Amino acid sequence: MTRTRPARRRKMRERQLAAEESRVIVPVVVPDAAAAAFKFSNSLSSSESPPDEGVSAVPELFSFGLQRGSHSYGVQPLGNMFLNASNCNVRNVGLGSLQVLPDVLLLDIFGYLGSKDLGRLALVSKAFYVFAHQDSLWRTVVLENFTGELAFKGCWKSTFLASSLVPGFTGASHVPLKVTDFYSDYIFQSWLCASLEIKDEWLSTDNIERREAPSVEEFIRDFEELNKPVLLTGVLKSWPAVKKWDRPYLLNKAGDCAFTAGPINLKLNDYFAYADSVKEERPLYIFDSKFGEKAPQLAADYDIPVYFREDLFSILGNDRPDFRWLIAGPARSGSSFHIDPNSTSAWNAVVRGSKKWLLYPPEVVPPGVHPSPDGADVASPVSITEWFMNYYGVTQQRKEKPVECICREGEVVFVPRGWWHIVINLEDSIAVTQNYVSRRNLLNVLEFLNRPNSKELVSGTMDRVNLYEKFRSKYEQLFPGSIESLQQQAEARKLQNQKACMWDTITDVKTGGFKFGFS
């Protein structure tokens, strides 16, 4: 089942519901009760002893390549109910009249509850106990009440209990109770995505073009002008970051700096502690556009590769949109399918770890992705792992194959403007990325900024409405006549391409050769 993310809850609800009509159900049904996909465990510790006959050990799934055992609360995929002689789903019994609502909607509603109400809800029935203990709900509670310190305890419920939000609490950490006969594809898949090992088949294709330290002229001719991605090697040898950026160095230089991680600003030492123990579907990851101001030493540890130094947005000074980011996260973190902001191109340099990239050209919408007609919003699977689990196989069957690669330490990926891309960290990773505008991309950026709905499309600046006028007028002041020259060059290339296409069609249908008009 593909679950869509409520990125802008009110605006996207109708499109989310439309996307859910095409959801993919994960085939996690065991055809034979004796199949090796399940093993039974009766080794519950005393701390996990059930309070009543409805809580007990449940089958543990291991044939999917899981990094941990069964679901913490005993949730199983709906198809497994057919293996149960009682054919009873505790979910429906415990929810009563609410059983008709889909789980995604129930969790959406419960997401508006505070900690006390979630605690009360968990006492209503076994079904409500499972729903009220979904870690995503407690993550929301902790992050919405975040005060600057985070001592992550392995799950968000335990983190909440140990935080200042529960003053004076001295009890033990939360111990989940496993509920028998609770079946839900939606809830199970969230756990499955957090537990599933990254598959070898997701990593086997590497079809991006690689170049070792090409000249600037070669890069422009072969990639930037063609709007074509490339993986560059041997271009970060001069970076101090490549030699220095291990954890002790980063903690020494920036341990007390609070970097943007999801909806909060988190101290780097707290983030590393979180990343070491997190086991959730969508881990928080650092994506900070102000890291250079917060930790100037980190910004001094790298310089812009020579291919990307023409950045025309720089003429705006402090009025330019956000353009550089420090990126850090554990395995499974990363970014779901998106197009980089403001029609800019980008480069992404891996300093530590490795990343799997998958890219589609602007005219090809990736499978499982549902952009709005105006491009302002995108509905996609909740997590990156979910997309790979449900849709990666589809990419191998489609005619339009994606560009794929694994980018490792010391390598750089060039992302041309307009290209869809998804990135998943394969291990603890640290990277630097920047977006830029060169003369090869200037006309596209100006067109994007001048669209009628630019207020919804432009990002990274407080002045979305006036960015076009500011940028164009400043550029024309510094480079008079340049825009007209670029427009003429673009028209000439367009005309040349049209002539080439027409010439290619003038062939002899019998011989396949050129057909001349001689008698």
Side-chain angles (χ1 to χ4, degrees):
M1 177 183 296
T2 300
R3 297 158 298 131
T4 53
R5 183 204 330 264
R8 296 180 182 178
R9 210 175 281 245
R10 293 181 180 177
K11 290 182 63 178
M12 295 182 65
R13 171 53 60 190
E14 290 185 5
R15 221 163 16 86
Q16 287 175 6
L17 294 177
E20 286 181 21
E21 294 179 359
S22 60
R23 285 181 169 184
V24 177
I25 303 297
V26 180
V28 196
V29 179
V30 179
D32 185 348
F38 281 87
K39 64 177 181 180
F40 287 88
S41 171
N42 294 312
S43 57
L44 285 175
S45 64
S46 57
S47 63
E48 294 174 319
S49 299
D52 57 45
E53 60 182 311
V55 183
S56 65
V58 296
E60 291 186 358
L61 189 65
F62 70 90
S63 66
F64 290 89
L66 302 181
Q67 295 179 327
R68 50 194 171 127
S70 60
H71 192 287
S72 301
Y73 297 94
V75 178
Q76 300 178 58
L78 188 60
N80 287 6
M81 186 174 69
F82 297 107
L83 303 176
N84 189 337
S86 67
N87 200 31
C88 172
N89 191 349
V90 167
R91 174 204 179 277
N92 297 339
V93 175
L95 288 178
S97 300
L98 294 180
Q99 66 179 277
V100 298
L101 299 180
D103 292 347
V104 60
L105 181 56
L106 288 172
L107 288 173
D108 237 6
I109 295 170
F110 299 155
Y112 291 99
L113 301 180
S115 57
K116 292 183 179 179
D117 290 326
L118 286 175
R120 296 185 183 104
L121 189 69
L123 300 176
V124 175
S125 68
K126 298 167 191 172
F128 279 111
Y129 173 85
V130 173
F131 274 97
H133 280 95
Q134 291 308 296
D135 219 29
S136 59
L137 299 178
W138 291 97
R139 168 169 152 157
T140 299
V141 169
V142 172
L143 297 185
E144 285 185 348
N145 295 278
F146 180 72
T147 57
E149 302 287 338
L150 180 69
F152 190 70
K153 300 298 182 182
C155 75
W156 289 102
K157 176 68 180 289
S158 295
T159 302
F160 169 79
L161 293 175
S163 71
S164 59
L165 299 173
V166 190
F169 180 79
T170 57
S173 297
H174 172 65
V175 178
L177 300 175
K178 292 189 175 182
V179 176
T180 303
D181 298 338
F182 189 104
Y183 303 97
S184 166
D185 283 337
Y186 189 89
I187 295 177
F188 179 83
Q189 183 150 311
S190 178
W191 170 85
L192 180 62
C193 289
S195 307
L196 194 69
E197 293 178 348
I198 295 175
K199 301 293 187 180
D200 290 340
E201 54 264 33
W202 300 348
L203 311 178
S204 59
T205 300
D206 196 316
N207 59 5
I208 197 170
E209 186 168 349
R210 294 171 178 265
R211 288 284 183 93
E212 182 173 2
S215 68
V216 174
E217 292 75 17
E218 289 173 334
F219 170 76
I220 292 175
R221 180 194 67 211
D222 297 340
F223 302 105
E224 193 177 30
E225 286 187 345
L226 300 179
N227 208 45
K228 176 183 176 182
V230 63
L231 190 148
L232 301 171
T233 62
V235 300
L236 305 184
K237 294 178 180 179
S238 64
W239 278 24
V242 174
K243 301 179 179 68
K244 293 181 178 180
W245 280 16
D246 55 19
R247 186 172 292 193
Y249 176 83
L250 293 173
L251 289 175
N252 179 49
K253 297 298 182 180
D256 289 330
C257 293
F259 295 105
T260 301
I264 62 174
N265 289 317
L266 191 58
K267 290 183 179 179
L268 189 60
N269 50 15
D270 287 345
Y271 181 79
F272 280 147
Y274 160 82
D276 285 342
S277 59
V278 64
K279 296 178 181 178
E280 59 181 329
E281 180 183 8
R282 292 183 294 118
L284 295 173
Y285 77 112
I286 290 175
F287 192 73
D288 196 299
S289 63
K290 306 299 181 186
F291 76 96
E293 294 85 343
K294 297 174 181 177
Q297 182 58 51
L298 300 188
D301 284 342
Y302 80 95
D303 55 5
I304 300 173
V306 64
Y307 315 101
F308 315 113
R309 290 179 182 171
E310 183 185 59
D311 185 1
L312 299 177
F313 262 154
S314 63
I315 65 177
L316 293 175
N318 293 332
D319 289 335
R320 71 169 301 166
D322 293 339
F323 70 103
R324 65 177 179 181
W325 290 265
L326 175 70
I327 306 174
R332 299 177 184 281
S333 64
S335 57
S336 56
F337 265 113
H338 67 283
I339 295 173
D340 278 351
N342 305 327
S343 197
T344 56
S345 297
W347 56 270
N348 186 297
V350 176
V351 181
R352 290 287 179 268
S354 57
K355 299 172 177 283
K356 167 70 179 186
W357 285 75
L358 194 145
L359 306 95
Y360 275 103
E363 66 273 12
V364 180
V365 177
V369 176
H370 306 275
S372 61
D374 63 0
D377 292 305
V378 177
S380 62
V382 168
S383 70
I384 305 168
T385 305
E386 180 177 359
W387 184 89
F388 273 92
M389 183 172 64
N390 286 340
Y391 291 105
Y392 183 78
V394 178
T395 69
Q396 307 308 299
Q397 300 168 9
R398 293 176 66 174
K399 179 181 178 181
E400 307 94 343
K401 295 292 190 294
V403 174
E404 301 184 49
C405 69
I406 295 176
C407 188
R408 297 178 173 83
E409 292 181 8
E411 298 178 337
V412 180
V413 170
F414 166 62
V415 185
R417 56 107 187 148
W419 277 67
W420 292 94
H421 51 285
I422 187 172
V423 187
I424 183 171
N425 289 324
L426 304 180
E427 55 188 312
D428 291 351
S429 300
I430 303 173
V432 174
T433 186
Q434 291 195 187
N435 290 69
Y436 73 102
V437 183
S438 71
R439 280 170 291 173
R440 271 69 59 188
N441 192 29
L442 176 61
L443 297 181
N444 300 102
V445 172
L446 289 174
E447 184 276 331
F448 181 90
L449 299 181
N450 197 33
R451 290 180 183 178
N453 60 336
S454 61
K455 185 176 181 180
E456 285 75 35
L457 297 177
V458 173
S459 65
T461 177
M462 298 297 293
D463 192 1
R464 298 182 175 188
V465 176
N466 299 313
L467 182 60
Y468 170 78
E469 291 297 337
K470 282 184 179 179
F471 182 43
R472 177 157 187 154
S473 61
K474 185 69 173 179
Y475 183 84
E476 289 179 330
Q477 176 186 346
L478 295 174
F479 309 101
S482 174
I483 293 178
E484 290 76 11
S485 177
L486 290 172
Q487 289 172 336
Q488 291 171 4
Q489 294 173 26
E491 287 296 325
R493 284 194 299 270
K494 182 178 178 181
L495 183 61
Q496 185 177 9
N497 292 336
Q498 288 176 345
K499 287 182 178 179
C501 292
M502 181 179 67
W503 183 256
D504 290 341
T505 62
I506 307 177
T507 58
D508 191 307
V509 294
K510 295 182 179 179
T511 66
F514 288 109
K515 185 176 181 180
F516 296 98
F518 298 129
S519 58

